[in-house]
Amino acid sequence: MSVGVSKHTIPAYTLNYADMDARSIEDIYKLQQGALFKNVFTRTLVNEQATRAGILDAFYWLEQNATQKDVVVIFMGVTWVE
C-alpha cells in the first residue's frame, strides 16, 4: 500500500514529490512480479484519493487479504495535520 499526498490546502504542508514517490514504490514492486514475488497486489492512494476513509479502506483490504506468508509494504508520504 502506498499513500502519497503532494497537494495540500495549507502551502506549508505541501510535499513536492510524495505522490510520485507513492506511484514509484508501486511500480518497483510490480516489476518484481514473477521474479522476486509470485504475485504483486497493490493499493496506491494519491492526493485527493488519500482520504481518511480511503486509507482505512486500504488497511481493511490488507487485513482481509494478507496472510502470514505474504510480504506487506506500507509507504506513506504525507504530512499529517490535525
Side-chain angles (χ1 to χ4, degrees):
M1 178 174 80
S2 292
V3 179
V5 179
S6 292
K7 300 175 186 175
H8 201 285
T9 57
I10 301 170
Y13 295 129
T14 296
L15 300 174
N16 294 327
Y17 305 104
D19 55 348
M20 285 191 315
D21 290 346
R23 288 185 184 108
S24 295
I25 293 291
E26 177 185 38
D27 292 343
I28 287 167
Y29 280 95
K30 281 184 175 181
L31 288 172
Q32 296 304 314
Q33 182 163 312
L36 184 58
F37 302 111
K38 180 178 179 181
N39 293 304
V40 175
F41 303 98
T42 63
R43 290 287 188 269
T44 300
L45 305 169
V46 293
N47 298 316
E48 294 83 11
Q49 300 167 328
T51 63
R52 181 181 189 276
I55 294 169
L56 289 175
D57 184 58
F59 275 116
Y60 179 74
W61 173 79
L62 281 173
E63 180 182 27
Q64 296 301 306
N65 293 287
T67 71
Q68 67 273 16
K69 295 180 181 181
D70 295 320
V71 174
V72 173
V73 176
I74 299 171
F75 170 83
M76 295 217 173
V78 297
T79 300
W80 295 104
V81 180
E82 299 200 25

